[in-house]
Amino acid sequence: MNPTETVELKILSIVRSRRNWYKYRPVLQPGFFSTEANRQIFHLTEQFFKKHDDRKLIVANLKMLVIKYIKDKELKQDCLNIAIRLRKIQTNDSQMVEDLIKDFAKRQLVKLAITEGIALLDEPNINLAGLKGHVDRAMSLTTETEDNVYHYFKDPSERIKEETLEKKVSTGIDKLDEVLDGGMSPGELCVFLGPPGRGKTTALINIGVGALLKGLTVFHVTLEISDRKIARRYDMRISGRTFLSLKTNPERIHNPLLKLRKNGCDLIIKDWSMESPTVDDLYGVIISYQARMRKNMDIVIVDYGDLLGAANRSQESRFALEEVYTELRRLAVKLKVPLYTASQSNRESLNKMLVGMKDVAESFGKVKVADVVIGICQTPEEDEDKLVRLFIAKSRKASGHPIIKLEFDPDKMWMGSNDEKAKFTDAGRLKTNW
């Protein structure tokens, strides 16, 4: 059985459920299916739910419909064989079902646009708008239904309770957690903003280590430097030592890592420094990894978002960047994790006391969609004193625009406060009682 046939059979099995039929029928068309037998099964499913909208289409009923309505003997036998196969297909993961059907429908719509385009190439007046409509519909395709709306008057006390108990993921920087009411929530996007060399990667590494200390699983995507160099930076931050110190004696990293792993944490680093992937590529890798390892990510770090490619690579740079950051925000929602990234500020921000949203380079759309935007600020004097300020330029959690003063030691990849440094001994080894 080829991959296309396998996908189509899974979809035909999924829509035998009444709930799934009404949810996914608007994005599916009979013409999407590659064989006449699959198209007939889809058509018979539709006929069944027109008469019986209160139950699942079981295989026995589907076989009866095939026998009753399919007259051609060969086609009838093909349909009966498909009905038998559908009984063996398991589709329990709702997120995988959602992604499978969306991907299938998008692919078929794009194929339709390409097929029509080829047929029209020799005609004097090509309807480009019509072809673009197919592609646009594919890109914006959604399976949202009435089930996904929120009924305001249904249970007000419950929503207040849920808001109070909402899961927060610590940033690992205590002062930042205080400002963000405990940390970032699943589905939120945080953007660190700063000029080159100001500490964007250091900030992201500290976020990652903070999650590891809590026993969480971190997925770190590097788009600028190699995975080995990112791992080296984690070594420096976790051990509290410079790279020169670790290079002189590599054994010094072993004890901190052994103690850290006891809490069940994990760090996966994906190197995309030689490519320009899209957010969809990133999503595919994460979903595949989660399915293979049977482990969900707790936070995702992208270093950094400006280097991701847009799905529509032909569009103007500023529009492409806005699309990338919009898709990153959607990725956080789909994965149900806080997502951290960093973005370049403009040249003028190098000499500014405060780096804010108006200093964003190329596209304001990058920060427009973010839940939290943090400017990394530092004067030459602060650089000498190993200090840095985090300016909360935007937050849906904090009131006003607080400024957080922190210690900053790029030689050890450190960004934090004295209280947080107390989690480490003077020798740089993790304490055993945190």
Side-chain angles (χ1 to χ4, degrees), residues 75 116 133 140 168 210 245 291 303 305 313 316 329 345 400 415 432:
L75 179 59
E116 289 187 6
S140 63
K168 300 288 177 64
S245 173
D303 187 9
R313 296 179 186 267
E316 192 178 333
R329 176 68 165 68
S345 59
M415 181 182 285
T432 57

Side-chain angles (χ1 to χ4, degrees), residues 30 34 66-67 73 98 127 154 170 258 278 338 342 358 415 426:
S34 60
V66 169
I67 293 169
K73 290 185 179 180
E98 184 93 4
N127 181 12
K154 187 175 181 180
S170 169
L258 284 173
T278 65
K358 64 182 179 181
M415 181 182 285
D426 291 337

Side-chain angles (χ1 to χ4, degrees), residues 185-252:
S185 300
E188 292 183 332
L189 172 66
C190 176
V191 178
F192 284 95
L193 183 64
R198 188 53 60 79
K200 297 188 292 295
T201 296
T202 302
L204 294 175
I205 293 290
N206 276 265
I207 295 292
V209 172
L212 296 177
L213 288 168
K214 298 292 184 183
L216 304 180
T217 298
V218 179
F219 196 92
H220 190 122
V221 179
T222 173
L223 293 143
E224 191 172 31
I225 57 180
S226 71
D227 48 12
R228 186 177 294 274
K229 289 181 179 179
I230 287 293
R232 180 193 304 166
R233 284 158 171 75
Y234 273 96
D235 289 342
M236 293 157 62
R237 173 60 178 81
I238 290 168
S239 69
R241 297 180 183 274
T242 65
F243 176 63
L244 181 60
S245 173
L246 291 175
K247 186 177 179 181
T248 304
N249 187 355
E251 301 298 318
R252 288 172 174 164

Side-chain angles (χ1 to χ4, degrees), residues 10-65:
K10 283 184 179 179
I11 292 171
L12 289 173
S13 180
I14 289 164
V15 296
R16 289 192 297 123
S17 157
R18 179 182 63 85
R19 184 177 183 278
N20 285 341
W21 173 260
Y22 286 110
K23 179 174 183 178
Y24 297 119
R25 175 61 183 92
V27 303
L28 296 172
Q29 301 176 20
F32 286 176
F33 296 91
S34 60
T35 68
E36 180 60 26
N38 287 348
R39 289 192 286 272
Q40 287 297 330
I41 292 292
F42 185 82
H43 176 71
L44 292 174
T45 303
E46 185 166 39
Q47 296 304 309
F48 176 84
F49 284 115
K50 283 182 178 179
K51 294 182 178 179
H52 311 283
D53 64 352
D54 60 343
R55 63 179 191 262
K56 180 179 179 179
L57 174 58
I58 62 174
V59 170
N61 287 339
L62 181 56
K63 290 169 71 175
M64 289 175 60
L65 290 171

Side-chain angles (χ1 to χ4, degrees), residues 29 32 105-113 134 137-138 141:
Q29 301 176 20
F32 286 176
K106 286 181 178 181
R107 287 173 181 271
Q108 301 312 311
L109 286 169
V110 172
K111 284 180 183 178
L112 182 62
H134 285 304
R137 185 186 168 203
L141 183 140

Side-chain angles (χ1 to χ4, degrees), residues 241-293:
R241 297 180 183 274
T242 65
F243 176 63
L244 181 60
S245 173
L246 291 175
K247 186 177 179 181
T248 304
N249 187 355
E251 301 298 318
R252 288 172 174 164
I253 189 59
H254 289 177
N255 279 343
L257 292 186
L258 284 173
K259 292 175 181 178
L260 189 56
R261 282 307 299 272
K262 287 180 180 179
N263 69 7
C265 67
D266 201 2
L267 170 62
I268 299 95
I269 304 171
K270 172 62 179 175
D271 183 352
W272 250 316
S273 57
M274 301 299 291
E275 302 175 51
S276 181
T278 65
V279 176
D280 280 345
D281 294 329
L282 175 56
Y283 179 57
V285 167
I286 293 175
I287 286 294
S288 175
Y289 183 88
Q290 290 185 156
R292 188 172 72 254
M293 302 304 294

